[in-house]
C-alpha cells in the first residue's frame, strides 16, 4: 500500500476518500443535512451557470464520483481524478461549505470534521470492486438497515435502479458484470466477508 500522504494525487487515478465528525460526533442530524451535503457535492462535480459560487468553480469534469455513502458521523467517496487538479480541492470546498452551514444551523463553533480527510489510492481492479461493495454495505454493517438498498444516503440505488440521472459514473463498475443482477449478487455475497474482513488484506481501511 502506498503512503497515505494527502499530497499524493495523480491524474487518472482512483481514490478512497473519507472523514468523520470531530470527536466522532454526528455530522448529519436530519435529512436536510444529508441533502445539503449532496447538493454541494453535485454543485462542485457539475458546475453550472445557475449555481452561485463565492470563488470561481472548479473546471468542468475535473473529477468523477464512482460511489459514495453518507453515514451519521462520517462519509466515504470513491473518486477518480480526471485532471491535474487534486481531489483535495474538491473535498476542501465541500467540507468547508458544509461546516459553515452546520455551525450556523446548530449554533456551534469550531471544527465539524476530524482533522484532515484521509485518502487511499486504489491500486488495482480488485480493490476497486471490493471498495465499492464496502462503501455500499456501510449502513448494513453498522446496523442501520438490513440491506444496502434500504439506505437512502448512498449511491447503491443508482447502481441497481434503471432510472437515469444521479451523480455517479457507474459504468467503470457495472461494465465488469453481465448485468445489474450479477452486480447485486456480487455485492450481497460480499457482506459477510466485509463484516469479518477475511482475506481482504490491505483493500479496506476503517474510519
Amino acid at each position: 500500500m502506498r503512503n497515505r500522504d494527502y499530497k499524493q494525487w495523480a491524474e487518472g487515478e482512483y481514490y478512497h476518500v473519507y472523514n468523520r465528525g470531530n470527536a466522532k460526533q454526528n455530522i448529519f442530524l436530519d435529512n436536510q443535512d444529508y441533502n445539503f451535503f449532496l447538493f454541494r457535492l453535485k454543485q462542485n462535480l457539475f458546475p453550472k451557470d445557475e449555481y452561485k459560487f463565492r470563488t470561481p468553480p472548479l473546471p468542468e469534469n475535473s473529477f468523477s464520483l464512482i460511489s459514495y455513502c453518507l453515514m451519521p458521523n462520517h462519509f466515504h467517496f470513491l473518486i477518480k481524478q480526471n485532471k491535474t487538479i487534486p481531489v483535495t480541492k474538491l473535498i476542501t470546498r465541500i467540507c468547508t461549505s458544509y461546516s459553515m452551514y452546520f455551525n450556523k444551523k446548530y449554533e456551534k463553533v469550531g471544527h465539524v470534521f476530524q482533522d484532515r480527510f484521509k485518502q487511499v489510492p486504489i491500486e488495482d481492479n480488485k480493490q476497486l470492486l471490493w471498495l465499492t461493495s464496502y462503501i455500499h454495505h456501510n449502513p448494513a454493517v453498522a446496523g442501520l438497515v438490513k440491506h444496502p438498498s434500504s439506505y437512502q444516503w448512498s449511491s447503491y440505488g443508482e447502481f441497481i435502479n434503471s432510472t437515469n440521472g444521479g451523480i455517479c459514473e457507474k459504468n467503470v463498475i457495472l461494465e465488469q458484470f453481465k448485468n445489474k443482477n450479477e452486480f447485486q449478487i456480487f455485492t450481497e455475497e460480499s457482506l459477510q466477508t466485509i463484516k469479518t474482513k477475511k482475506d481482504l488484506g490491505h483493500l479496506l481501511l476503517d474510519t
Side-chain angles (χ1 to χ4, degrees), residues 129-130 133 177 181-190:
L129 294 177
W130 273 110
S133 288
F177 299 89
N181 183 59
E182 187 177 82
F183 165 77
Q184 284 184 264
I185 292 172
F186 169 80
T187 302
E188 292 170 8
E189 290 182 346
S190 69

Side-chain angles (χ1 to χ4, degrees), residues 113-127:
F113 296 95
Q114 178 179 298
D115 196 26
R116 189 178 293 274
F117 65 88
K118 308 297 189 299
Q119 62 92 2
V120 179
I122 307 305
E123 298 180 341
D124 53 44
N125 190 63
K126 180 181 179 182
Q127 188 179 9

Side-chain angles (χ1 to χ4, degrees), residues 20-109:
R20 63 184 174 191
N22 191 34
K24 300 183 180 181
Q25 70 177 355
N26 284 353
I27 53 178
F28 304 111
L29 304 185
D30 60 23
N31 287 354
Q32 183 184 37
D33 296 345
Y34 287 102
N35 281 318
F36 183 86
F37 190 90
L38 288 176
F39 175 68
R40 284 292 188 243
L41 176 60
K42 183 177 180 180
Q43 271 190 321
N44 284 280
L45 286 172
F46 310 107
K48 297 180 180 179
D49 292 339
E50 61 263 33
Y51 294 147
K52 294 182 179 180
F53 294 91
R54 292 186 177 183
T55 57
L58 297 171
E60 190 173 356
N61 195 37
S62 293
F63 313 99
S64 297
L65 180 67
I66 309 303
S67 60
Y68 71 87
C69 184
L70 308 185
M71 297 287 283
N73 75 341
H74 67 276
F75 66 81
H76 292 273
F77 295 150
L78 174 53
I79 296 179
K80 181 184 178 185
Q81 180 179 315
N82 295 325
K83 300 182 179 180
T84 57
I85 301 170
V87 179
T88 184
K89 297 288 187 182
L90 172 68
I91 305 302
T92 299
R93 279 174 174 251
I94 296 167
C95 290
T96 299
S97 176
Y98 184 77
S99 295
M100 294 172 63
Y101 154 86
F102 185 92
N103 283 340
K104 181 178 181 180
K105 177 178 177 179
Y106 296 107
E107 298 181 343
K108 293 179 177 291
V109 294

Side-chain angles (χ1 to χ4, degrees), residues 166-183:
I167 59 176
C168 294
E169 294 193 15
K170 307 174 289 291
N171 285 343
V172 67
I173 301 296
L174 293 179
E175 69 186 7
Q176 301 187 53
F177 299 89
K178 294 179 181 179
N179 48 51
K180 290 184 179 180
N181 183 59
E182 187 177 82
F183 165 77

Side-chain angles (χ1 to χ4, degrees), residues 137-173:
H137 272 305
N138 253 244
V141 172
L144 299 180
V145 294
K146 291 185 177 180
H147 192 275
S149 62
S150 302
Y151 193 69
Q152 183 178 358
W153 308 110
S154 84
S155 54
Y156 192 61
E158 288 189 35
F159 276 78
I160 64 174
N161 295 324
S162 300
T163 55
N164 294 324
I167 59 176
C168 294
E169 294 193 15
K170 307 174 289 291
N171 285 343
V172 67
I173 301 296

